Amino acid sequence: MITTIKKYSFGAHAPTGAVTAQVEEGDTLPYFSVQAEGQGTRFRCPLEKDDVVYGLGETMRGIDKRGGRYVSFNTDNPHHTQDMPSLYGSHNFIVVDGKKTFGAFFDTPARAVFEIDCGGSGEVNVLCERGVTVYIVEGESAHAVVRRFLRAVGRSYLPPLWAFGFGQSRWGYKDERDIRRIARGYAKAGMPLDYICMDIDYMDRYIDFTVNKKRFPDLKAFVVEMKGKGVRLVPIVDAGIKVEPGDPVYEEGVQKGYFCKNIEGKDFCAAVWPGMTHFPDFLRPEVRAWFGRQYKVYTDAGIEGFWNDMNEPAIFYSEYTKGKGGERSEGDPLYRGNTFLSDYRNFCHNIEGKEVNHWEVHNIFGANMTRASAEGLDALLNGRYLLFSRSSYIGAHRYGGIWTGDNASCWDHLRQNVLQMPSLNMCGFLFSGADTGGFGGNASRELLLRWLAVSAFTPLFRDHASKGTRPQECFRFRGKKDFRSILSLRYRLLPYIYSEFMKAALSFDMYMQPLAFGYPQDARARRVEDELLVGESLLIAPVLEKGAKGRRVYLPEAMTEVRWDGASFSARQAAAGEHFVKVPLGEVVFYIRKGKLLPVGGAAMHTGECDLSAVTLLGDGEEYEQYLDDGLTRSVSEDNIRLLRRQG
Ligand code: GLC
């Protein structure tokens, strides 16, 4: 029983599975005033002038969420503008940090609206439109609150070592030849690569769990061939099952009644990539088990990595809205998702025998798809696997990672990637990252290089781009040396990145933190949002501006400044305070905190060539605790931590 967290119920809701710890019921909700509103409840908490409000995971704006309105309502939304209220996930955890410091998790599967000092209101104002359980988390600091919360929602998903390697992806790779060409391009350019994602074109007419035989005549042999080159294949799986008489998955789903029903009680039809599809009712355990079993088609072919998509669920139109249009905006001019919102009222789930309209449980649909995949893969495979999803809810972080969806090749989205990482970590999603270089639009050489220098530190490190955009693979650009430099840095940092990720997961901590969490007494550090702490030893201050030769860096204390120039590391002492640091394209500058060490390994073309135990230590610390295992086993424990001591 955790005593520093208490829960308070305001109306009933379907279980979300977010909190796994035993938590006691409290008497009266502290910090917030409570008012019934419609079928839900409004919560209000006054803010002091200097309070910072953290959290909300995958949302826009800064690490401090003040000044914004955020709507938890999972949306397939490629318009990642500053004022966009909803993205693909709903992560309803906030931390108020000031004179009073506490966390609040609004656990509800339905829509919730967070207005955080919006328009200078001076309050946190949360409307939960249906039943909600509020968890209040106490702690002596924002970081302590987050750590308690992470313990309550359970351990992060643990990926294999190869999932920390670099991955290349593009919507448009069609066949074996395309994929071979990508692997060859990287190998020839001397750039490391661990996996290539297979987007929807590998399937037969976008039908889940099929492989187009013309394009991939022998998937199993192809997997072996690519693995021989150190490259794994990672196919996409979409949420909807194509309405396709004769397809065994479709037939079985219909026959067993596994699909969501429309409001007339028939299988609901919604158009996604394959045309009309049915949505598996992932909220039912037997449906999850059935869906999870389908991954066998791929695991039998030797595949150990997957990305789940379109699981908000994305709907282009449905049997109800086809040709008729529908309610796209819900009276909110900022609301520009791809889906007709009315369709989310047009189908139902069956929860423990009771019919529940999708609207009531919308935000946990994608999370349950991830759970279905993870439970299936747990049974099908012996070791760990790569799994990441687009849609999510807190709790899904135990089953897989997430990527941050369809961003664009623009400098704002590079910055947003930096801002989102700590917030995602606070909500449990340690294994995350953005489409490096941007999904939509054309990435310039400069933008891609600066973005690689950020993603080189994020657990999920994948270059992905949309159809119709300029080729975005690193080897396609001139001046390959600069790309080689940053990619090879990632592999040299892997002993540290892997170790810090695993230690964070095992100890219910964050992998990427705001500066404020490391230096809570430092008023200036509390305001810095474009520098992050990565694991226990590193501070990164990436260049986020077009045309910049370098940037201003604020160091809360003296640190070791490390410069990677593509061939070697050079280190110098940097004093506390503000510096201008020059960072030419292709170089990366980062900082090792006082009294800390950074283990770095040798060069590698893929993780199979990495020896995480052969490391050199940089920095002025004395000891480093390195987590080390075979990168695949599921039996992880703190016993795998060894103590490294600086020589001399
Ligand atoms: C969605 C995904 C994107 C993918 C595309 C085609 O837009 O977010 O990553 O490439 O669908 O499958």
Side-chain angles (χ1 to χ4, degrees):
M1 179 75 78
I2 297 183
T3 53
T4 44
I5 306 185
K6 291 229 158 50
K7 66 176 175 186
Y8 307 83
S9 294
F10 301 88
H13 60 83
T16 65
V19 175
T20 50
Q22 289 289 317
V23 175
E24 229 175 83
E25 298 265 356
D27 301 330
T28 320
L29 183 73
Y31 305 116
F32 292 90
S33 69
V34 177
Q35 208 180 357
E37 186 168 321
Q39 296 175 56
T41 310
R42 191 177 285 278
F43 303 89
R44 297 170 67 181
C45 165
L47 288 173
E48 302 272 343
K49 192 166 87 343
D50 293 327
D51 287 352
V52 175
V53 182
Y54 295 107
L56 294 182
E58 190 184 56
T59 48
M60 296 303 293
R61 297 175 173 268
I63 295 175
D64 182 354
K65 306 315 289 188
R66 279 184 89 138
R69 176 169 182 270
Y70 312 89
V71 179
S72 286
F73 198 72
N74 297 349
T75 304
D76 170 18
N77 190 345
H79 310 288
H80 300 187
T81 55
Q82 281 294 298
D83 51 4
M84 190 51 65
S86 305
L87 295 172
Y88 313 86
S90 290
H91 307 142
N92 300 344
F93 176 57
I94 58 168
V95 180
V96 176
D97 186 25
K99 283 204 194 105
K100 294 174 292 200
T101 295
F102 66 93
F105 174 42
F106 296 85
D107 190 16
T108 173
R111 188 155 70 166
V113 181
F114 292 78
E115 289 170 329
I116 316 274
D117 190 21
C118 196
S121 67
E123 63 173 18
V124 171
N125 188 316
V126 185
L127 173 66
C128 295
E129 294 185 353
R130 297 291 190 274
V132 58
T133 309
V134 184
Y135 293 80
I136 297 293
V137 188
E138 305 288 353
E140 54 288 352
S141 65
H143 189 196
V145 166
V146 169
R147 294 192 64 169
R148 287 197 175 125
F149 178 67
L150 292 179
R151 194 173 283 273
V153 294
R155 173 162 301 154
S156 160
Y157 149 77
L158 299 174
L161 172 64
W162 68 265
F164 292 85
F166 176 64
Q168 181 62 54
S169 183
R170 180 179 179 80
W171 179 13
Y173 298 157
K174 286 183 313 298
D175 53 19
E176 287 186 349
R177 275 187 30 221
D178 282 352
I179 289 174
R180 277 196 196 103
R181 203 174 295 139
I182 299 308
R184 206 180 311 124
Y186 273 95
K188 258 184 77 185
M191 297 175 189
L193 180 71
D194 261 86
Y195 60 95
I196 299 177
C197 291
M198 298 162 74
D199 208 319
I200 48 175
D201 295 301
Y202 80 83
M203 299 181 205
D204 182 17
R205 290 171 297 136
Y206 310 141
I207 302 176
D208 271 356
F209 310 115
T210 67
V211 178
N212 185 306
K213 280 271 176 267
K214 274 209 193 98
R215 296 170 174 192
F216 296 89
D218 187 347
L219 183 63
K220 198 169 180 174
F222 187 52
V223 168
V224 172
E225 176 194 324
M226 295 306 288
K227 260 196 198 164
K229 297 176 181 153
V231 177
R232 287 177 163 83
L233 300 178
V234 178
I236 194 169
V237 177
D238 284 345
I241 299 290
K242 182 172 167 50
V243 176
E244 179 73 12
D247 172 60
V249 182
Y250 164 80
E251 295 283 359
E252 190 181 354
V254 169
Q255 189 219 330
K256 301 220 164 112
Y258 284 165
F259 296 123
C260 292
K261 302 285 180 226
N262 67 17
I263 40 188
E264 286 134 276
K266 304 207 179 78
D267 291 335
F268 174 65
C269 287
V272 200
W273 299 127
M276 281 302 186
T277 68
H278 293 327
F279 293 137
D281 189 353
F282 293 116
L283 274 54
R284 289 163 58 190
E286 65 277 23
V287 178
R288 284 199 296 273
W290 166 74
F291 193 83
R293 279 198 299 276
Q294 309 307 323
Y295 285 73
K296 188 167 187 299
V297 179
Y298 307 124
T299 56
D300 279 353
I303 288 176
E304 303 147 298
F306 301 89
W307 50 311
N308 283 350
D309 193 22
M310 308 307 272
N311 49 0
E312 293 71 28
I315 300 177
F316 300 159
Y317 56 83
S318 79
E319 55 189 307
Y320 295 100
T321 47
K322 186 174 184 194
K324 298 186 199 98
E327 157 198 26
R328 264 210 199 258
S329 73
E330 276 268 308
D332 182 342
L334 297 180
Y335 210 98
R336 283 184 291 155
N338 267 347
T339 304
F340 295 110
L341 288 186
S342 53
D343 274 330
Y344 290 142
R345 300 185 198 272
N346 286 337
F347 63 103
C348 302
H349 298 267
N350 181 318
I351 301 177
E352 287 165 7
K354 247 182 61 192
E355 187 182 289
V356 178
N357 189 281
H358 177 76
W359 190 268
E360 310 292 318
V361 288
H362 173 68
N363 290 340
I364 59 171
F365 182 83
N368 277 288
M369 178 190 182
T370 308
R371 180 173 176 183
S373 319
E375 288 171 349
L377 294 169
D378 280 343
L380 290 164
L381 295 169
N382 289 319
R384 286 157 19 206
Y385 44 81
L386 170 58
L387 176 62
F388 58 98
S389 164
R390 196 171 70 177
S391 183
S392 61
Y393 183 83
I394 292 175
H397 70 284
R398 300 194 300 272
Y399 300 103
I402 52 173
W403 95 99
T404 53
D406 296 348
N407 61 3
S409 302
C410 64
W411 292 88
D412 282 356
H413 289 184
L414 168 58
R415 178 178 292 269
Q416 194 62 44
N417 183 190
V418 173
L419 299 174
Q420 276 177 345
M421 291 309 296
S423 310
L424 287 170
N425 273 254
M426 289 174 207
C427 295
F429 293 92
L430 269 49
F431 192 78
S432 52
D435 283 354
T436 301
F439 175 72
N442 298 319
S444 68
R445 177 177 191 274
E446 183 192 3
L447 177 67
L448 180 55
L449 281 167
R450 293 302 192 198
W451 209 319
L452 289 165
V454 168
S455 299
F457 295 91
T458 65
L460 174 63
F461 183 15
R462 180 179 75 139
D463 175 337
H464 179 47
S466 176
K467 240 182 187 166
T469 63
R470 175 194 296 168
Q472 200 167 289
E473 298 84 10
C474 298
F475 66 84
R476 306 261 194 201
F477 291 81
R478 69 182 165 76
K480 297 190 176 45
K481 187 167 145 273
D482 290 342
F483 292 89
R484 207 156 37 231
S485 164
I486 302 178
L487 293 176
S488 69
L489 170 66
R490 166 63 167 223
Y491 283 76
R492 288 182 189 263
L493 290 176
L494 276 178
Y496 176 75
I497 291 174
Y498 182 67
S499 166
E500 287 303 307
F501 182 95
M502 296 298 282
K503 285 190 317 190
L506 289 173
S507 62
F508 304 98
D509 207 340
M510 300 161 70
Y511 165 80
M512 282 183 145
Q513 295 180 24
L515 229 52
F517 281 29
Y519 303 93
Q521 307 311 334
D522 183 323
R524 176 138 181 216
R526 274 170 68 84
R527 295 286 160 204
V528 172
E529 297 211 326
D530 58 357
E531 300 177 19
L532 298 178
L533 300 175
V534 179
E536 62 172 45
S537 305
L538 295 190
L539 179 153
I540 59 167
V543 176
L544 305 174
E545 260 174 55
K546 177 176 179 302
K549 303 270 179 278
R551 60 162 285 171
R552 295 209 160 275
V553 176
Y554 173 68
L555 298 181
E557 61 181 346
M559 295 190 188
T560 306
E561 182 183 281
V562 181
R563 179 177 296 271
W564 168 254
D565 66 6
S568 59
F569 294 101
S570 54
R572 66 169 198 103
Q573 284 312 299
E578 194 174 292
H579 304 264
F580 183 84
V581 51
K582 278 196 183 157
V583 190
L585 282 176
E587 292 193 10
V588 182
V589 176
F590 56 87
Y591 298 86
I592 305 177
R593 295 169 72 184
K594 207 172 165 168
K596 300 289 182 189
L597 287 173
L598 170 74
V600 296
M605 286 298 284
H606 57 84
T607 50
E609 290 180 3
C610 290
D611 178 358
L612 300 189
S613 69
V615 294
T616 310
L617 298 169
L618 304 179
D620 65 6
E622 294 300 322
E623 293 178 347
Y624 177 75
E625 289 187 332
Q626 185 186 16
Y627 179 92
L628 201 60
D629 65 11
D630 65 0
L632 210 61
T633 176
R634 285 191 194 156
S635 64
V636 295
S637 91
E638 281 170 359
D639 299 344
N640 296 338
I641 293 174
R642 64 168 187 165
L643 195 62
L644 300 178
R645 283 206 176 77
R646 194 156 59 114
Q647 304 286 300

